[in-house]
Amino acid sequence: MSISGERAFSLLQKIGFIRCSGTAEELQAAHILLDELKSLGLECTLEAFKVHNYTIKKATLEVLEPYQQTYEVTGLGLSGNTPADGLVADFKYIQQASDMDLLDAKGKVVLLNGGLTVEVYERLFKAGVAGIIAYSGTVIDDPALTDLQVRAIRAKHLEVGQIPGVTLRASDAFDMVKNKATKVRMVLEQDDYEVDSHNVYATLQGTDYPEEEIAFMGHYDSVPFSTGVYDNGAGSVILMELVRHYLAHPPKRTLRFMWFGSEEKGLLGSKAYVATAEEDALKAIKLGINVDVAGPIMGEDRAIVTADNSLCTYIEYLAKEVGFSIAVKQDTYSSDSIPFANKGIPCVNFCRFGSPGCAMIHSRYDILDYLSGESLENTARFVQTFSDRVINAPLFPVEQKMPANMVEAVDKYLQKKKSDTK
Ligand SMILES: [Zn+2]
């Protein structure tokens, strides 16, 4: 059975609804994938793992002085609560949270530029900041056509502590700074709790070298407001096409297919897999092949190799041999391959990035209109061509080691005080 972009696209339509970490919709998407696997006669499993979720009950922001204005905000998930009648405090725009910016920030509600990385968060915490205002979007956004982002802090932020926060639109942040707001009232009331998120697994036994394994992976969850077809329903359905291909062409090595939940919350599904897998099970994995973002009609294919540089050359030569346009580089990729690479497993990430302005992730515009079955098929076929060779090679060509520069890059990524948005 050969790879079909049309069939991939119709499965993408089926899972193309908002499916955020730990929600009933995420589980529903997992079941669609499970049903598809079962229809192919494959044994598959659903594995639950715990994630933190929250419900914002109230989130408001008012400027009290020198003018009065209420702004639309979303509460920063997991960041704690203000007193019930609100936190009334002086306001300060602290730009980049430098020492100079934070000199007199103690007890204030601060607005900052850019992402709330763990590093910045730690600085705000140490400076005794009472509340945080982050912003999303641009000053030219039309509120009717864009969504105010919903954000949450992560486990690494929580290790530092809690500072209640809200997110508002860039135009409102700009308004506050331009009009020199000095005093605000912030109200944040939320519940937090643990829920289950899920990974989906299926295995195809190798015919000749079953003890050697290749892990195919992709995340199937989305962010709020986004049907997440480009990021990453597309990778999920490409994996399903590969399942079909290898059912028809039994692989010499064992293939593990993994659809991860909660990637968008910080690679939680893949981290959960790696955390609970036996050391021997991880040792058996010779290579990780991750597909995250694909399908744009206008775009470019890339292979991001978190492994020895020789694998880049291998993929480059192969692309030339088969006539496929792909940019290859050695690097880390902010996706589920990271926890595997962190265990020393060589990984390659295949993706098709939309050309600038012609496909968007993490927004309400991540929709099928900008994708095609043909693009899915082209990417899937190249992944298959590459995979066929390594999976069926008499001697596995990829050395099971991580070069020093990639070890360093993965370490940097994992300690890197990550942005709260991905
Ligand atoms: Zn993604």
Side-chain angles (χ1 to χ4, degrees):
M1 192 181 297
S2 80
I3 302 263
S4 160
E6 206 180 314
R7 186 175 51 213
F9 198 81
S10 71
L11 181 58
L12 188 53
Q13 274 173 318
K14 282 192 210 160
I15 60 167
F17 49 84
I18 299 168
R19 40 188 202 286
C20 300
S21 163
T23 62
E25 292 76 19
E26 189 194 43
L27 182 57
Q28 190 187 338
H31 278 290
I32 293 170
L33 296 170
L34 286 165
D35 288 347
E36 190 81 5
L37 290 164
K38 284 177 195 157
S39 78
L40 298 171
L42 221 64
E43 252 182 63
C44 42
T45 50
L46 182 70
E47 186 179 77
F49 57 94
K50 297 285 178 201
V51 294
H52 274 106
N53 252 1
Y54 59 90
T55 306
I56 302 289
K57 292 153 87 178
K58 196 171 183 193
T60 62
L61 180 70
E62 297 165 74
V63 171
L64 304 174
E65 292 175 10
Y67 66 100
Q68 286 84 46
Q69 173 84 44
T70 301
Y71 294 108
E72 182 196 0
V73 294
T74 53
L76 186 62
L78 307 176
S79 71
N81 293 285
T82 61
D85 54 351
L87 165 70
V88 175
D90 288 344
F91 168 78
K92 190 180 187 207
Y93 170 44
I94 57 155
Q95 303 180 113
Q96 298 294 357
S98 67
D99 288 343
M100 184 60 80
D101 293 332
L102 290 170
L103 205 54
D104 58 350
K106 193 173 167 66
K108 293 182 181 171
V109 169
V110 300
L111 166 68
L112 70 154
N113 296 345
L116 192 56
T117 62
V118 175
E119 195 182 2
V120 166
Y121 191 78
E122 205 163 12
R123 294 172 63 75
L124 300 183
F125 195 83
K126 282 189 183 145
V129 159
I132 296 170
I133 305 173
Y135 74 84
S136 80
T138 74
V139 292
I140 58 166
D141 287 350
D142 178 344
L145 300 177
T146 53
D147 295 295
L148 173 52
Q149 276 196 13
V150 173
R151 293 173 174 162
I153 58 167
R154 295 183 165 180
K156 288 235 173 202
H157 295 86
L158 280 169
E159 282 170 20
V160 175
Q162 284 181 314
I163 315 171
V166 294
T167 304
L168 83 175
R169 289 179 179 279
S171 52
D172 292 337
F174 187 80
D175 201 53
M176 285 180 76
V177 175
K178 188 179 174 192
N179 294 308
K180 302 191 185 303
T182 55
K183 195 170 200 174
V184 296
R185 175 187 288 122
M186 176 194 286
V187 181
L188 181 62
E189 196 187 335
Q190 63 179 316
D191 287 335
D192 60 78
Y193 41 85
E194 278 197 331
V195 287
D196 283 343
S197 176
H198 298 84
N199 293 336
V200 173
Y201 305 130
T203 304
L204 285 183
Q205 280 298 317
T207 54
D208 294 27
Y209 320 101
E211 69 290 349
E212 295 184 3
E213 303 182 355
I214 285 84
F216 284 99
M217 62 190 89
H219 75 89
Y220 71 94
D221 63 314
S222 80
V223 298
F225 308 118
S226 172
T227 61
V229 283
Y230 164 30
D231 179 16
N232 180 41
S236 302
V237 302
I238 284 175
L239 252 52
M240 196 63 77
E241 285 302 307
L242 292 166
V243 168
R244 288 175 180 272
H245 169 77
Y246 287 111
L247 274 171
H249 305 91
K252 290 188 177 171
R253 289 181 174 77
T254 297
L255 308 185
R256 292 199 177 275
F257 288 90
M258 307 180 186
W259 288 265
F260 292 122
S262 297
E263 187 266 359
E264 300 288 6
K265 254 196 193 160
L267 322 179
L268 299 186
S270 48
K271 281 179 182 167
Y273 172 79
V274 167
T276 54
E278 302 280 335
E279 210 51 39
D280 285 354
L282 291 174
K283 272 215 179 82
I285 302 175
K286 303 290 164 198
L287 179 69
I289 300 176
N290 178 42
V291 187
D292 188 2
V293 309
I297 292 171
M298 281 180 67
E300 60 188 71
D301 280 80
R302 302 225 187 136
I304 299 154
V305 176
T306 314
D308 192 83
N309 204 42
S310 58
L311 185 55
C312 296
T313 310
Y314 184 107
I315 296 170
E316 274 166 359
Y317 285 8
L318 176 63
K320 284 174 187 164
E321 182 191 326
V322 301
F324 184 66
S325 171
I326 187 167
V328 186
K329 72 166 178 179
Q330 186 196 41
D331 204 350
T332 55
Y333 185 50
S334 181
S335 183
D336 289 313
S337 56
I338 291 278
F340 289 84
N342 189 43
K343 288 282 179 186
I345 298 168
C347 288
V348 51
N349 303 275
F350 287 103
C351 28
R352 179 171 170 83
F353 290 139
S355 49
C358 294
M360 281 137 281
I361 64 162
H362 297 184
S363 88
R364 68 166 84 172
Y365 298 105
D366 179 350
I367 49 175
L368 289 165
D369 301 35
Y370 307 115
L371 314 184
S372 71
E374 190 184 342
S375 288
L376 290 173
E377 184 166 317
N378 289 339
T379 301
R381 281 187 187 278
F382 186 72
V383 177
Q384 178 226 309
T385 302
F386 165 76
S387 305
D388 280 351
R389 279 165 166 75
V390 294
I391 288 166
N392 297 319
L395 183 64
F396 197 73
V398 185
E399 223 186 315
Q400 200 172 16
K401 64 159 203 201
M402 194 57 69
N405 64 331
M406 287 294 101
V407 171
E408 198 181 316
V410 170
D411 283 354
K412 194 173 162 206
Y413 178 92
L414 287 171
Q415 282 150 29
K416 177 170 101 178
K417 325 296 183 152
K418 282 196 71 184
S419 147
D420 62 337
T421 53
K422 163 110 186 178

